[in-house]
């Protein structure tokens, strides 16, 4: 009996709980349910997700990442002392080193203009080597860097002139070595060779000995002078303006043009000016401080070979350039000047005015060679009908007169043929 009464009581409580959850208690403010709408947060992440995409630059970034993998494989293959070829079995161990997410065999067969796959005459295993055309382009790029040495020295000087203290970390320059056309041994061939211009402090910091007043003109000043002469614009309109080039499909909201016009007229401390940096707490300090950072980033990208650089590498120059801002958020605030591509898990920033349909408008010797190398990546498996069949390995000498495995096989087979 007690068990029946307890179960009946628990059932009554269960029904009461359901009714209490459905029925709202009486009160003067219970006639409707109030909902509080939160204001949407606008941050660097939301801007990155909602940005207008540029398919040409995204496609270019994808192929550039593939080219980086190919160059890393070339470096690993050239560092081996046993010869200019490597077995595919050994190359499969390099997948994590070069950041490859597919099989090495499938990747190599995608680019027959770059890799030559053949069978080893002794071990009968598949081997790979860099094609003659690709090796020629790599050597041509090294020659272009030597011929462009004086221009590279001027660009390093301008980077040091933009620094507040006139110094930069060697590690930061090493990270952007390829972007600025610096050779691998730039510490000796550039910084050590031109000791009248550069001085090493504690072997990890480079200092500019004397400023060159002929180099303290930003690249954007050429565009401003052209706009002033050709379009008959006033100096008030062009003195602090930047070229704006929005991507196709960019939605311009109401009042945006007036804000952009006022921002273009806003004065700021230019990259090479030795004036004191504007305080953020002053009148209009935040806008002027951010515009100074935009000017430094614009000049930094203008000095690079291909007018682009990875966003993560810009963080190593923030302290030297006195840019105490979120670099990625600053870039996303100005889609008409910069563009960020997020292909292949990296964020690469491009200078929009320098590109047209995925190609650089004003080329240079180093870019011309790199574009030829990139064209081999674009080719893929096309135009392979006229390519000669890969020859088998011949005698490769290593360390003087020492021969590799298989060097004695081919002469022996030739003697047998002659004897028969």
């Amino acid at each position: 009996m007690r068990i029946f009464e307890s179960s009946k009581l628990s059932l009554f409580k269960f029904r009461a709980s359901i009714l209490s959850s459905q029925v709202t208690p009486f009160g003067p403010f219970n006639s409707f349910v109030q909902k509080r709408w939160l204001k949407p947060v606008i941050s660097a992440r939301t801007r990155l997700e909602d940005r207008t995409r540029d398919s040409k630059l995204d496609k270019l970034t994808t192929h550039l990442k593939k080219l980086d993998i190919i160059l890393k494989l070339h470096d690993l293959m050239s560092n081996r002392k046993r010869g200019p070829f490597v077995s595919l079995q050994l190359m499969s161990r390099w997948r994590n080193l070069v950041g490859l997410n597919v099989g090495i065999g499938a990747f190599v067969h995608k680019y027959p203009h770059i890799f030559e796959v053949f069978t080893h005459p002794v071990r009968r295993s598949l081997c790979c080597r860099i094609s003659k055309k690709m090796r020629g382009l790599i050597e041509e790029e090294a020659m272009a860097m030597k011929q462009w040495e004086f221009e590279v020295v001027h660009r390093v000087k301008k980077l040091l002139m933009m620094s507040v203290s006139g110094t930069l970390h060697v590690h930061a320059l090493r990270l952007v070595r390829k972007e600025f056309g610096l050779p691998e041994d730039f510490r000796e061939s550039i910084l050590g060779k031109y000791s009248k211009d550069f001085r090493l402090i504690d072997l990890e910091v480079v200092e500019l000995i004397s400023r060159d007043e002929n180099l303290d003109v930003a690249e954007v000043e050429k565009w401003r002078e052209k706009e002033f002469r050709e379009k008959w614009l006033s100096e008030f309109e062009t003195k602090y303006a930047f070229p704006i080039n929005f991507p196709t499909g960019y939605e311009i909201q109401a009042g945006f043009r007036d804000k952009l016009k006022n921002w273009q007229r806003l004065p700021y401390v230019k990259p090479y000016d030795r004036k004191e940096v504007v305080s953020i707490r002053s009148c209009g300090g935040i806008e002027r401080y951010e515009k100074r950072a935009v000017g430094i980033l614009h000049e930094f990208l203008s000095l690079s070979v291909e007018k682009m650089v990875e966003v993560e590498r810009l963080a190593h120059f923030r302290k030297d350039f006195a840019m105490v801002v979120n670099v990625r958020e600053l870039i996303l605030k100005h889609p008409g000047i910069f563009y960020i591509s997020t292909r292949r898990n990296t964020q690469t920033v491009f200078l929009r005015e320098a590109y047209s349909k995925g190609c650089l408008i004003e080329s240079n010797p180093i870019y011309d060679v790199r574009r030829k190398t990139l064209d081999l990546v674009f080719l893929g498996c096309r135009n392979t009908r006229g390519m000669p069949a890969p020859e088998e390995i011949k005698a490769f000498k290593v360390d003087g007169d020492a021969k590799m495995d298989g060097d004695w096989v081919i002469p022996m087979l030739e003697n047998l043929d002659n004897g028969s």
Side-chain angles (χ1 to χ4, degrees):
M1 190 69 180
R2 291 181 179 178
I3 297 173
F4 177 75
E5 289 179 358
S6 61
S7 61
K8 190 176 181 181
L9 181 62
S10 61
L11 181 62
F12 177 78
K13 290 181 178 179
F14 177 72
R15 290 180 177 177
S17 63
I18 293 176
L19 292 174
S20 63
S21 61
Q22 293 179 352
V23 180
T24 305
F26 178 78
F29 303 101
N30 295 334
S31 59
F32 60 92
V33 179
Q34 296 182 351
K35 293 184 179 180
R36 183 176 179 182
W37 297 96
L38 297 177
K39 185 179 180 181
V41 179
I42 300 176
S43 61
R45 182 176 180 180
T46 57
R47 285 195 180 99
L48 188 63
E49 294 173 352
D50 300 338
R51 75 190 190 282
T52 305
R53 308 298 176 94
D54 192 323
S55 59
K56 299 291 185 181
L57 294 181
D58 284 339
K59 184 179 179 181
L60 176 63
T61 306
T62 302
H63 286 87
L64 285 173
K65 296 304 175 185
K66 294 178 182 178
L67 180 59
D68 288 341
I69 294 174
I70 292 171
L71 294 176
K72 288 178 182 178
L73 288 173
H74 170 264
D75 292 339
L76 292 172
M77 295 170 69
S78 59
N79 289 335
R80 289 180 55 82
K81 297 181 179 180
R82 299 192 63 183
F85 63 92
V86 181
S87 66
L88 290 181
Q89 184 179 4
L90 177 60
M91 291 180 67
S92 62
R93 304 175 188 173
W94 297 342
R95 285 180 55 191
N96 295 331
L97 294 176
V98 299
L100 193 62
N101 55 2
V102 296
I104 193 69
F107 181 78
V108 165
H109 281 89
K110 279 184 180 179
Y111 306 103
H113 296 277
I114 299 175
F115 298 103
E116 293 180 356
V117 181
F118 57 93
T119 305
H120 197 281
V122 178
R123 300 173 182 175
R124 311 310 299 176
S125 60
L126 288 177
C127 296
C128 177
R129 63 187 169 195
I130 301 295
S131 65
K132 185 177 180 181
K133 185 185 295 184
M134 184 67 181
R135 292 198 304 267
L137 290 174
I138 293 174
E139 294 174 359
E140 187 178 350
E141 182 179 350
M143 291 296 296
M145 285 184 179
K146 290 182 179 179
Q147 296 175 359
W148 221 45
E149 185 175 309
F150 290 105
E151 180 65 25
V152 170
V153 171
H154 288 164
R155 298 192 177 206
V156 175
K157 281 184 180 180
K158 298 187 82 169
L159 288 178
L160 288 167
M161 289 171 64
M162 282 196 294
S163 175
V164 177
S165 60
T167 59
L168 286 175
H169 287 78
V170 178
H171 175 67
L173 290 176
R174 190 177 294 111
L175 290 176
V176 295
R177 177 189 66 81
K178 183 181 177 183
E179 285 78 0
F180 283 84
L182 292 169
E184 291 186 4
D185 59 341
F186 72 94
R187 191 169 184 169
E188 293 78 19
S189 60
I190 300 294
L191 304 181
K193 182 178 179 180
Y194 296 90
S195 56
K196 295 182 179 179
D197 300 319
F198 309 113
R199 178 171 54 207
L200 288 172
I201 305 173
D202 298 332
L203 300 179
E204 283 300 324
V205 178
V206 58
E207 182 183 14
L208 184 64
I209 295 178
S210 60
R211 292 176 60 89
D212 190 351
E213 300 300 331
N214 297 324
L215 299 176
D216 61 352
V217 179
E219 295 294 324
V220 72
E221 296 293 341
K222 301 177 182 177
W223 174 84
R224 290 168 181 170
E225 184 178 357
K226 184 178 179 181
E227 291 288 303
F228 178 76
R229 290 182 177 180
E230 295 183 359
K231 295 187 177 180
W232 294 80
L233 297 176
S234 63
E235 185 179 0
F236 178 68
E237 297 285 344
T238 60
K239 188 176 181 179
Y240 300 104
F242 286 90
I244 304 296
N245 181 21
F246 291 110
T248 304
Y250 182 78
E251 183 179 355
I252 298 178
Q253 299 178 356
F256 177 77
R257 296 182 185 276
D258 294 334
K259 292 180 181 179
L260 179 62
K261 193 173 183 179
N262 294 331
W263 185 85
Q264 290 279 58
R265 297 172 177 175
L266 184 68
Y268 70 100
V269 179
K270 297 183 179 181
Y272 300 108
D273 290 349
R274 306 305 297 172
K275 297 178 183 179
E276 186 178 355
V277 180
V278 180
S279 176
I280 298 179
R281 297 182 179 181
S282 61
C283 182
I286 296 178
E287 291 79 6
R288 295 170 64 187
Y289 190 85
E290 289 185 351
K291 191 169 183 179
R292 173 187 173 273
V294 169
I296 290 176
L297 288 176
H298 186 281
E299 182 67 8
F300 188 88
L301 292 173
S302 299
L303 295 176
S304 61
V305 174
E306 299 176 86
K307 318 303 180 190
M308 65 177 183
V309 69
E310 291 187 10
V311 178
E312 293 181 356
R313 298 176 182 178
L314 292 172
H316 296 271
F317 296 89
R318 287 177 57 196
K319 185 177 180 181
D320 296 323
F321 292 159
M323 295 190 304
V324 192
V325 293
N326 188 336
V327 177
R328 188 179 67 169
E329 186 173 357
L330 181 70
I331 292 170
L332 291 169
K333 277 184 179 180
H334 302 278
I337 304 175
F338 310 109
Y339 177 74
I340 287 185
S341 177
T342 57
R343 291 294 180 90
R344 299 187 69 87
N345 299 326
T346 56
Q347 295 183 3
T348 307
V349 56
F350 290 85
L351 189 63
R352 289 199 54 83
E353 66 189 77
Y355 279 86
S356 176
K357 297 181 180 180
C359 296
L360 202 64
I361 297 175
E362 297 181 3
S363 62
N364 51 71
I366 299 178
Y367 171 79
D368 292 337
V369 180
R370 291 179 180 176
R371 188 69 194 187
K372 294 178 186 177
T373 310
L374 190 64
D375 289 340
L376 296 181
V377 180
F378 276 110
L379 276 177
C381 295
R382 291 172 291 182
N383 299 339
T384 58
R385 183 173 297 179
M387 294 180 62
E391 301 177 356
E392 288 191 343
I393 306 174
K394 296 183 178 179
F396 290 109
K397 292 186 177 181
V398 182
D399 296 334
D401 296 332
K403 292 188 177 181
M404 296 185 52
D405 296 339
D407 293 351
W408 51 273
V409 176
I410 296 176
M412 181 182 293
L413 295 175
E414 292 177 352
N415 292 333
L416 289 174
D417 293 340
N418 295 331
S420 62

